[in-house]
Amino acid sequence: MTRSQPNILWITLDSVRADHTSLHEYRRDTTPELSRIASDVNSVNFKHGIAHSTRTPVSVPSMLTGLYPSRHRMIGTSSGDMLPKSMKTAPELLSKQGYRTIGISENGYAGEAKGIDERFDDFIKSSPSGIRDLFSHQYRSSFLKYSLKMRKHGPGLTLDAGEHGKQNSFFTTDITKRKLRRVSKMDEPFFCYVHYNDPHHPYIPPVSCRDEYVDEINATIGEAVTFAQRMHDEMYEWIANALPLSDDKREILYAMYDATIKYTDACVGELFDFVQKRFEDTIIVITADHGDLFGEYGLLGHHMVLHDGLIHVPLITYGLDDVDHHAERPTQHIDIMNTILSLVGTDTSQFQGYDIRQQSRDVAVSQDLRGTVDDNEAQNYERIRQYNPDIDLSHLPRSLITTARTTEFKLVQTKEEKKLYQLPNENSDVKNSYPSIYKELTSFLDTWLETEGKPFETAPKEPKLAEETEQHLREMGYI
């Protein structure tokens, strides 16, 4: 195969909710580069990009397998398991089509922890975890560049290699550019998956970006950094104690979170421009795997519920023709991946998404399972109860939670209850005010769970993680 086929670059931003981006009219200009890219005549900004779940280990497998969470089964106690070999992924299918497949990820759950790394021809974890990493063959040239820009792209001068690994969008961008320079000399097209992690909590941007919004908050830079780290370290304790956050404290978190988004946005813009200059025909997707909560449902981070702060994400395509008619409809990652694979003639028989060049989606489906509030041993709930055994968690889902979201309404369904919300309000159940919509979405979801929502025939397996990968996931709060 020659380059008659388009290259494909898929960029995932971790933990970026749509309503904190300039694309969605946020009060701060956090994503000027995404806005610039989206304004191109060859781009489409999907206003209702809906993630499949609330966490990387569930959402990214959906992107790459084209399957809903209850189908690929990596939810609940299996959320950390590996993809079964019989479950094909986009890089494997594209490799059979003659594509060179490359993966670069800062997040272990978009790599080794799920067995995703093995599905690519070339894969690198772009978050250095120690001195040995920084001087390794994979990192050496990037580290030499980085060493001259530690303030712009990192924590400044420190001998703690782990601190440099936390602000690593520089490494991700530079390594991706180096990999793509090599593939540009080949005849085969490429599929490149890139996962940026900086917006994930703790919200600590590089030194050069820490004052981005500090003049808008009641705190010094040092106080803001310390508070953002405390939020990460004490998240479950804060949740257990009903989030003792004043408006001023919440604004500190917003400012630091927004600064990490703006820094990562700049890196994405740099990578986009690099690809534009070097390659003539490339389809580019820019999205997020999920968002974050800042007090909705009494929660922080990305946990347990399917609020729009978690599942409504930015979603842009560049160079993908005949999809602009879908810009105002609910659009999911499996739709975009299915459309691209169909375009290049890849087998999509496993994929559940729509080819949105030919089909239209009216309802997006998201799912999650974090155990049950009635079981003290169930995943994240026991992390909260250890700080307050008497806390009332009855407002949180007690079983698999599935949502059916349109542009105006969201049905939230568990075994125990069903609630209908009129967006953006997710506090008041309106099923009695809109009985026909409630009936329609309930019927849709009941049918969906009995068909599309049925599990894949092969169950996932528990991974054996390298020590550094396990430590990385632990520091991020996953385990």
Short mmCIF file of all heavy atoms in Angstrom, two decimals, residues 153-210:
data_model
loop_
_atom_site.label_atom_id
_atom_site.label_comp_id
_atom_site.label_asym_id
_atom_site.label_seq_id
_atom_site.Cartn_x
_atom_site.Cartn_y
_atom_site.Cartn_z
N HIS A 153 8.30 24.06 30.43
CA HIS A 153 7.54 22.81 30.27
C HIS A 153 7.51 21.94 31.51
O HIS A 153 6.97 20.83 31.46
CB HIS A 153 8.14 22.00 29.12
CG HIS A 153 7.97 22.65 27.78
ND1 HIS A 153 6.77 22.69 27.12
CD2 HIS A 153 8.86 23.29 26.98
CE1 HIS A 153 6.92 23.32 25.96
NE2 HIS A 153 8.17 23.70 25.85
N GLY A 154 8.10 22.39 32.61
CA GLY A 154 8.15 21.53 33.79
C GLY A 154 8.18 22.30 35.08
O GLY A 154 7.83 23.49 35.14
N PRO A 155 8.64 21.66 36.15
CA PRO A 155 8.62 22.26 37.48
C PRO A 155 9.82 23.16 37.77
O PRO A 155 9.98 23.62 38.89
CB PRO A 155 8.64 21.03 38.39
CG PRO A 155 9.42 20.02 37.63
CD PRO A 155 9.06 20.25 36.19
N GLY A 156 10.68 23.40 36.77
CA GLY A 156 11.89 24.17 37.01
C GLY A 156 13.01 23.26 37.46
O GLY A 156 12.96 22.03 37.31
N LEU A 157 14.04 23.83 38.03
CA LEU A 157 15.22 23.06 38.44
C LEU A 157 14.92 22.21 39.67
O LEU A 157 14.63 22.74 40.74
CB LEU A 157 16.40 24.00 38.72
CG LEU A 157 16.99 24.72 37.50
CD1 LEU A 157 18.04 25.71 37.94
CD2 LEU A 157 17.57 23.71 36.51
N THR A 158 14.93 20.92 39.51
CA THR A 158 14.79 19.98 40.61
C THR A 158 15.42 18.66 40.19
O THR A 158 15.38 18.30 39.01
CB THR A 158 13.32 19.75 41.01
OG1 THR A 158 13.25 18.70 41.99
CG2 THR A 158 12.47 19.35 39.82
N LEU A 159 16.03 17.96 41.16
CA LEU A 159 16.67 16.68 40.86
C LEU A 159 15.69 15.51 40.99
O LEU A 159 16.07 14.37 40.77
CB LEU A 159 17.86 16.47 41.82
CG LEU A 159 19.00 17.49 41.67
CD1 LEU A 159 20.08 17.21 42.70
CD2 LEU A 159 19.57 17.47 40.26
N ASP A 160 14.45 15.80 41.32
CA ASP A 160 13.43 14.76 41.44
C ASP A 160 12.89 14.43 40.05
O ASP A 160 12.09 15.17 39.48
CB ASP A 160 12.30 15.24 42.35
CG ASP A 160 11.28 14.15 42.64
OD1 ASP A 160 11.24 13.15 41.89
OD2 ASP A 160 10.51 14.30 43.61
N ALA A 161 13.36 13.31 39.49
CA ALA A 161 12.95 12.94 38.13
C ALA A 161 11.44 12.74 38.03
O ALA A 161 10.83 13.00 37.00
CB ALA A 161 13.68 11.67 37.69
N GLY A 162 10.83 12.26 39.12
CA GLY A 162 9.39 12.05 39.11
C GLY A 162 8.62 13.34 38.90
O GLY A 162 7.56 13.35 38.27
N GLU A 163 9.14 14.46 39.44
CA GLU A 163 8.48 15.75 39.24
C GLU A 163 8.48 16.15 37.77
O GLU A 163 7.53 16.71 37.27
CB GLU A 163 9.18 16.82 40.08
CG GLU A 163 8.93 16.71 41.57
CD GLU A 163 7.45 16.86 41.91
OE1 GLU A 163 6.83 17.84 41.46
OE2 GLU A 163 6.92 15.96 42.58
N HIS A 164 9.56 15.85 37.07
CA HIS A 164 9.62 16.17 35.64
C HIS A 164 8.66 15.29 34.84
O HIS A 164 8.15 15.69 33.80
CB HIS A 164 11.05 16.01 35.12
CG HIS A 164 12.01 16.97 35.73
ND1 HIS A 164 11.99 18.32 35.46
CD2 HIS A 164 13.01 16.78 36.63
CE1 HIS A 164 12.94 18.93 36.15
NE2 HIS A 164 13.58 18.02 36.87
N GLY A 165 8.40 14.09 35.35
CA GLY A 165 7.47 13.20 34.67
C GLY A 165 6.03 13.64 34.79
O GLY A 165 5.18 13.25 33.99
N LYS A 166 5.71 14.47 35.80
CA LYS A 166 4.32 14.88 36.01
C LYS A 166 3.88 15.92 34.98
O LYS A 166 2.72 16.00 34.63
CB LYS A 166 4.15 15.43 37.43
CG LYS A 166 4.23 14.36 38.50
CD LYS A 166 4.10 14.94 39.90
CE LYS A 166 4.22 13.85 40.96
NZ LYS A 166 4.17 14.40 42.33
N GLN A 167 4.80 16.79 34.55
CA GLN A 167 4.49 17.74 33.48
C GLN A 167 5.19 17.25 32.22
O GLN A 167 6.31 17.66 31.92
CB GLN A 167 4.97 19.15 33.84
CG GLN A 167 4.04 19.87 34.79
CD GLN A 167 4.49 19.78 36.22
OE1 GLN A 167 5.63 19.44 36.49
NE2 GLN A 167 3.61 20.08 37.14
N ASN A 168 4.55 16.34 31.53
CA ASN A 168 5.29 15.66 30.46
C ASN A 168 4.67 15.81 29.08
O ASN A 168 4.97 15.05 28.18
CB ASN A 168 5.45 14.17 30.80
CG ASN A 168 4.15 13.55 31.28
OD1 ASN A 168 3.11 13.77 30.69
ND2 ASN A 168 4.22 12.79 32.36
N SER A 169 3.80 16.80 28.88
CA SER A 169 3.27 17.01 27.53
C SER A 169 4.39 17.39 26.57
O SER A 169 4.27 17.14 25.37
CB SER A 169 2.19 18.09 27.54
OG SER A 169 1.01 17.61 28.16
N PHE A 170 5.46 17.99 27.09
CA PHE A 170 6.62 18.26 26.23
C PHE A 170 7.18 16.96 25.67
O PHE A 170 7.44 16.85 24.47
CB PHE A 170 7.71 19.00 26.99
CG PHE A 170 8.99 19.14 26.21
CD1 PHE A 170 9.14 20.19 25.30
CD2 PHE A 170 10.01 18.21 26.32
CE1 PHE A 170 10.30 20.31 24.55
CE2 PHE A 170 11.17 18.32 25.57
CZ PHE A 170 11.32 19.37 24.69
N PHE A 171 7.38 15.97 26.54
CA PHE A 171 7.92 14.69 26.09
C PHE A 171 6.99 14.03 25.09
O PHE A 171 7.42 13.51 24.06
CB PHE A 171 8.15 13.75 27.29
CG PHE A 171 9.31 14.13 28.14
CD1 PHE A 171 9.13 14.84 29.31
CD2 PHE A 171 10.61 13.79 27.77
CE1 PHE A 171 10.21 15.20 30.11
CE2 PHE A 171 11.69 14.14 28.55
CZ PHE A 171 11.50 14.85 29.73
N THR A 172 5.70 14.06 25.38
CA THR A 172 4.73 13.44 24.48
C THR A 172 4.77 14.08 23.10
O THR A 172 4.80 13.39 22.07
CB THR A 172 3.32 13.56 25.07
OG1 THR A 172 3.29 12.87 26.33
CG2 THR A 172 2.28 12.95 24.14
N THR A 173 4.80 15.40 23.05
CA THR A 173 4.85 16.11 21.78
C THR A 173 6.14 15.84 21.03
O THR A 173 6.13 15.53 19.83
CB THR A 173 4.68 17.63 22.01
OG1 THR A 173 3.49 17.87 22.76
CG2 THR A 173 4.60 18.38 20.69
N ASP A 174 7.26 15.94 21.73
CA ASP A 174 8.56 15.78 21.08
C ASP A 174 8.77 14.35 20.59
O ASP A 174 9.26 14.13 19.48
CB ASP A 174 9.69 16.18 22.03
CG ASP A 174 11.00 16.39 21.29
OD1 ASP A 174 11.08 17.32 20.49
OD2 ASP A 174 11.94 15.59 21.52
N ILE A 175 8.39 13.37 21.39
CA ILE A 175 8.53 11.96 20.99
C ILE A 175 7.63 11.67 19.79
O ILE A 175 8.03 10.98 18.84
CB ILE A 175 8.20 11.03 22.16
CG1 ILE A 175 9.30 11.13 23.23
CG2 ILE A 175 8.04 9.59 21.69
CD1 ILE A 175 8.95 10.45 24.53
N THR A 176 6.41 12.20 19.80
CA THR A 176 5.50 11.99 18.67
C THR A 176 6.10 12.57 17.40
O THR A 176 6.08 11.92 16.33
CB THR A 176 4.13 12.63 18.95
OG1 THR A 176 3.57 12.07 20.14
CG2 THR A 176 3.18 12.38 17.79
N LYS A 177 6.63 13.78 17.47
CA LYS A 177 7.24 14.40 16.29
C LYS A 177 8.41 13.56 15.78
O LYS A 177 8.57 13.38 14.56
CB LYS A 177 7.69 15.82 16.63
CG LYS A 177 6.53 16.78 16.82
CD LYS A 177 6.92 18.04 17.57
CE LYS A 177 7.87 18.90 16.80
NZ LYS A 177 8.14 20.18 17.53
N ARG A 178 9.21 13.03 16.69
CA ARG A 178 10.34 12.21 16.27
C ARG A 178 9.88 10.92 15.59
O ARG A 178 10.42 10.51 14.56
CB ARG A 178 11.23 11.88 17.48
CG ARG A 178 12.54 11.20 17.10
CD ARG A 178 13.52 11.16 18.24
NE ARG A 178 13.14 10.25 19.30
CZ ARG A 178 12.76 10.63 20.52
NH1 ARG A 178 12.69 11.93 20.82
NH2 ARG A 178 12.44 9.75 21.43
N LYS A 179 8.86 10.30 16.15
CA LYS A 179 8.32 9.07 15.55
C LYS A 179 7.75 9.35 14.15
O LYS A 179 7.92 8.56 13.22
CB LYS A 179 7.23 8.48 16.44
CG LYS A 179 7.71 8.01 17.81
CD LYS A 179 8.51 6.75 17.73
CE LYS A 179 8.84 6.22 19.12
NZ LYS A 179 9.69 5.00 19.06
N LEU A 180 7.08 10.49 14.02
CA LEU A 180 6.46 10.81 12.74
C LEU A 180 7.50 11.24 11.69
O LEU A 180 7.28 11.01 10.50
CB LEU A 180 5.39 11.89 12.92
CG LEU A 180 4.16 11.47 13.75
CD1 LEU A 180 3.15 12.60 13.82
CD2 LEU A 180 3.52 10.20 13.19
N ARG A 181 8.59 11.82 12.12
CA ARG A 181 9.66 12.12 11.16
C ARG A 181 10.17 10.84 10.52
O ARG A 181 10.45 10.79 9.32
CB ARG A 181 10.81 12.83 11.87
CG ARG A 181 10.57 14.29 12.18
CD ARG A 181 11.85 14.97 12.65
NE ARG A 181 11.55 16.26 13.27
CZ ARG A 181 11.47 16.45 14.59
NH1 ARG A 181 11.69 15.43 15.42
NH2 ARG A 181 11.18 17.65 15.07
N ARG A 182 10.30 9.81 11.32
CA ARG A 182 10.80 8.53 10.81
C ARG A 182 9.81 7.91 9.84
O ARG A 182 10.18 7.42 8.77
CB ARG A 182 11.07 7.57 11.97
CG ARG A 182 12.25 7.98 12.83
CD ARG A 182 12.41 7.04 14.00
NE ARG A 182 13.47 7.47 14.91
CZ ARG A 182 13.70 6.95 16.10
NH1 ARG A 182 12.92 5.96 16.54
NH2 ARG A 182 14.68 7.40 16.86
N VAL A 183 8.54 7.93 10.20
CA VAL A 183 7.55 7.29 9.36
C VAL A 183 7.33 8.07 8.07
O VAL A 183 6.87 7.52 7.05
CB VAL A 183 6.22 7.08 10.13
CG1 VAL A 183 5.38 8.34 10.17
CG2 VAL A 183 5.41 5.93 9.54
N SER A 184 7.67 9.36 8.07
CA SER A 184 7.50 10.16 6.86
C SER A 184 8.43 9.70 5.74
O SER A 184 8.20 10.02 4.57
CB SER A 184 7.77 11.64 7.16
OG SER A 184 9.14 11.87 7.45
N LYS A 185 9.46 8.96 6.08
CA LYS A 185 10.41 8.45 5.09
C LYS A 185 9.96 7.12 4.50
O LYS A 185 10.63 6.56 3.62
CB LYS A 185 11.79 8.29 5.73
CG LYS A 185 12.35 9.60 6.28
CD LYS A 185 13.64 9.37 7.04
CE LYS A 185 14.14 10.68 7.68
NZ LYS A 185 15.37 10.46 8.47
N MET A 186 8.85 6.59 5.01
CA MET A 186 8.34 5.31 4.55
C MET A 186 7.20 5.51 3.56
O MET A 186 6.61 6.59 3.47
CB MET A 186 7.86 4.47 5.74
CG MET A 186 8.92 4.27 6.82
SD MET A 186 8.24 3.39 8.26
CE MET A 186 9.64 3.44 9.38
N ASP A 187 6.87 4.45 2.84
CA ASP A 187 5.78 4.53 1.87
C ASP A 187 4.41 4.29 2.51
O ASP A 187 3.38 4.64 1.94
CB ASP A 187 5.99 3.50 0.75
CG ASP A 187 7.14 3.88 -0.16
OD1 ASP A 187 7.41 5.10 -0.28
OD2 ASP A 187 7.76 2.97 -0.73
N GLU A 188 4.41 3.69 3.68
CA GLU A 188 3.14 3.32 4.30
C GLU A 188 2.52 4.49 5.07
O GLU A 188 3.25 5.31 5.65
CB GLU A 188 3.35 2.13 5.24
CG GLU A 188 4.39 2.36 6.31
CD GLU A 188 4.79 1.08 7.02
OE1 GLU A 188 4.20 0.03 6.74
OE2 GLU A 188 5.70 1.14 7.86
N PRO A 189 1.20 4.59 5.08
CA PRO A 189 0.54 5.62 5.89
C PRO A 189 0.65 5.25 7.37
O PRO A 189 0.98 4.12 7.72
CB PRO A 189 -0.91 5.57 5.41
CG PRO A 189 -1.10 4.15 4.97
CD PRO A 189 0.22 3.72 4.39
N PHE A 190 0.34 6.20 8.25
CA PHE A 190 0.43 5.90 9.69
C PHE A 190 -0.90 6.11 10.38
O PHE A 190 -1.74 6.91 9.96
CB PHE A 190 1.51 6.77 10.36
CG PHE A 190 1.19 8.25 10.45
CD1 PHE A 190 0.31 8.76 11.41
CD2 PHE A 190 1.79 9.16 9.57
CE1 PHE A 190 0.03 10.11 11.49
CE2 PHE A 190 1.51 10.52 9.64
CZ PHE A 190 0.63 11.00 10.60
N PHE A 191 -1.07 5.35 11.45
CA PHE A 191 -2.11 5.62 12.46
C PHE A 191 -1.36 5.89 13.76
O PHE A 191 -0.61 5.04 14.24
CB PHE A 191 -3.05 4.44 12.63
CG PHE A 191 -3.95 4.57 13.86
CD1 PHE A 191 -4.99 5.48 13.87
CD2 PHE A 191 -3.74 3.79 14.99
CE1 PHE A 191 -5.81 5.62 15.00
CE2 PHE A 191 -4.55 3.92 16.11
CZ PHE A 191 -5.59 4.83 16.11
N CYS A 192 -1.54 7.07 14.31
CA CYS A 192 -0.83 7.46 15.53
C CYS A 192 -1.84 7.88 16.59
O CYS A 192 -2.64 8.79 16.38
CB CYS A 192 0.14 8.61 15.23
SG CYS A 192 1.15 9.11 16.63
N TYR A 193 -1.78 7.18 17.73
CA TYR A 193 -2.63 7.52 18.88
C TYR A 193 -1.75 8.22 19.92
O TYR A 193 -0.71 7.69 20.33
CB TYR A 193 -3.26 6.27 19.50
CG TYR A 193 -4.08 6.60 20.74
CD1 TYR A 193 -5.41 6.96 20.62
CD2 TYR A 193 -3.51 6.56 22.01
CE1 TYR A 193 -6.16 7.29 21.74
CE2 TYR A 193 -4.24 6.89 23.13
CZ TYR A 193 -5.57 7.25 23.01
OH TYR A 193 -6.31 7.59 24.11
N VAL A 194 -2.18 9.42 20.35
CA VAL A 194 -1.41 10.22 21.31
C VAL A 194 -2.31 10.57 22.49
O VAL A 194 -3.41 11.08 22.31
CB VAL A 194 -0.89 11.52 20.66
CG1 VAL A 194 -0.02 12.30 21.64
CG2 VAL A 194 -0.12 11.22 19.38
N HIS A 195 -1.80 10.29 23.71
CA HIS A 195 -2.60 10.53 24.92
C HIS A 195 -1.85 11.49 25.84
O HIS A 195 -0.84 11.15 26.44
CB HIS A 195 -2.86 9.20 25.64
CG HIS A 195 -3.93 9.28 26.68
ND1 HIS A 195 -5.18 8.72 26.51
CD2 HIS A 195 -3.96 9.86 27.90
CE1 HIS A 195 -5.92 8.94 27.58
NE2 HIS A 195 -5.20 9.64 28.46
N TYR A 196 -2.39 12.72 25.93
CA TYR A 196 -1.84 13.75 26.82
C TYR A 196 -2.51 13.66 28.20
O TYR A 196 -3.73 13.56 28.30
CB TYR A 196 -2.10 15.14 26.26
CG TYR A 196 -1.23 15.53 25.10
CD1 TYR A 196 -1.67 15.43 23.79
CD2 TYR A 196 0.06 16.05 25.32
CE1 TYR A 196 -0.87 15.83 22.72
CE2 TYR A 196 0.86 16.45 24.26
CZ TYR A 196 0.40 16.34 22.97
OH TYR A 196 1.19 16.73 21.93
N ASN A 197 -1.70 13.75 29.27
CA ASN A 197 -2.25 13.52 30.61
C ASN A 197 -2.24 14.74 31.52
O ASN A 197 -2.76 14.69 32.63
CB ASN A 197 -1.47 12.39 31.29
CG ASN A 197 -2.33 11.60 32.25
OD1 ASN A 197 -3.34 11.03 31.85
ND2 ASN A 197 -1.95 11.55 33.51
N ASP A 198 -1.64 15.86 31.10
CA ASP A 198 -1.44 16.98 32.03
C ASP A 198 -2.70 17.49 32.72
O ASP A 198 -2.65 17.84 33.90
CB ASP A 198 -0.75 18.13 31.30
CG ASP A 198 0.76 18.02 31.37
OD1 ASP A 198 1.29 17.04 30.83
OD2 ASP A 198 1.39 18.89 31.98
N PRO A 199 -3.87 17.55 32.05
CA PRO A 199 -5.04 18.08 32.76
C PRO A 199 -5.58 17.17 33.87
O PRO A 199 -6.46 17.58 34.62
CB PRO A 199 -6.08 18.25 31.63
CG PRO A 199 -5.26 18.37 30.39
CD PRO A 199 -4.10 17.45 30.60
N HIS A 200 -5.08 15.95 33.97
CA HIS A 200 -5.49 15.04 35.05
C HIS A 200 -5.01 15.61 36.39
O HIS A 200 -3.93 16.16 36.49
CB HIS A 200 -4.87 13.66 34.80
CG HIS A 200 -5.44 12.57 35.65
ND1 HIS A 200 -5.15 12.45 37.00
CD2 HIS A 200 -6.25 11.53 35.35
CE1 HIS A 200 -5.76 11.38 37.48
NE2 HIS A 200 -6.45 10.81 36.50
N HIS A 201 -5.84 15.45 37.43
CA HIS A 201 -5.41 15.92 38.75
C HIS A 201 -4.18 15.13 39.22
O HIS A 201 -4.05 13.97 38.87
CB HIS A 201 -6.57 15.82 39.77
CG HIS A 201 -7.13 14.44 39.96
ND1 HIS A 201 -6.51 13.46 40.74
CD2 HIS A 201 -8.25 13.85 39.47
CE1 HIS A 201 -7.23 12.36 40.73
NE2 HIS A 201 -8.29 12.56 39.95
N PRO A 202 -3.25 15.76 39.96
CA PRO A 202 -3.34 17.11 40.53
C PRO A 202 -3.13 18.18 39.46
O PRO A 202 -2.31 17.99 38.56
CB PRO A 202 -2.18 17.14 41.55
CG PRO A 202 -1.20 16.16 41.01
CD PRO A 202 -2.01 15.07 40.36
N TYR A 203 -3.87 19.25 39.55
CA TYR A 203 -3.83 20.28 38.53
C TYR A 203 -2.64 21.21 38.77
O TYR A 203 -2.79 22.32 39.29
CB TYR A 203 -5.13 21.08 38.54
CG TYR A 203 -6.38 20.23 38.57
CD1 TYR A 203 -7.35 20.41 39.56
CD2 TYR A 203 -6.60 19.25 37.61
CE1 TYR A 203 -8.50 19.64 39.59
CE2 TYR A 203 -7.75 18.47 37.64
CZ TYR A 203 -8.69 18.66 38.63
OH TYR A 203 -9.82 17.89 38.67
N ILE A 204 -1.46 20.75 38.37
CA ILE A 204 -0.24 21.54 38.59
C ILE A 204 0.44 21.77 37.24
O ILE A 204 1.13 20.88 36.72
CB ILE A 204 0.71 20.84 39.57
CG1 ILE A 204 -0.01 20.60 40.91
CG2 ILE A 204 1.97 21.69 39.79
CD1 ILE A 204 0.82 19.89 41.94
N PRO A 205 0.24 22.93 36.66
CA PRO A 205 0.85 23.22 35.35
C PRO A 205 2.34 23.50 35.48
O PRO A 205 2.86 23.68 36.60
CB PRO A 205 0.10 24.48 34.90
CG PRO A 205 -0.32 25.14 36.17
CD PRO A 205 -0.58 24.04 37.16
N PRO A 206 3.06 23.54 34.38
CA PRO A 206 4.48 23.92 34.42
C PRO A 206 4.65 25.30 35.05
O PRO A 206 3.72 26.12 35.07
CB PRO A 206 4.89 23.92 32.95
CG PRO A 206 3.90 23.03 32.28
CD PRO A 206 2.62 23.20 33.02
N VAL A 207 5.86 25.57 35.55
CA VAL A 207 6.14 26.83 36.24
C VAL A 207 5.73 28.03 35.39
O VAL A 207 5.15 29.00 35.89
CB VAL A 207 7.64 26.91 36.61
CG1 VAL A 207 8.00 28.31 37.10
CG2 VAL A 207 7.98 25.88 37.67
N SER A 208 6.01 27.96 34.09
CA SER A 208 5.73 29.11 33.22
C SER A 208 4.26 29.43 33.08
O SER A 208 3.89 30.53 32.67
CB SER A 208 6.32 28.84 31.82
OG SER A 208 5.68 27.73 31.22
N CYS A 209 3.37 28.46 33.42
CA CYS A 209 1.93 28.65 33.23
C CYS A 209 1.17 28.83 34.55
O CYS A 209 -0.04 29.04 34.52
CB CYS A 209 1.34 27.46 32.49
SG CYS A 209 2.06 27.15 30.87
N ARG A 210 1.88 28.76 35.67
CA ARG A 210 1.18 28.77 36.95
C ARG A 210 0.52 30.10 37.29
O ARG A 210 -0.40 30.15 38.10
CB ARG A 210 2.13 28.33 38.06
CG ARG A 210 2.50 26.86 37.95
CD ARG A 210 3.47 26.40 39.01
NE ARG A 210 3.87 25.02 38.74
CZ ARG A 210 4.76 24.32 39.46
NH1 ARG A 210 5.33 24.89 40.51
NH2 ARG A 210 5.06 23.09 39.13
#
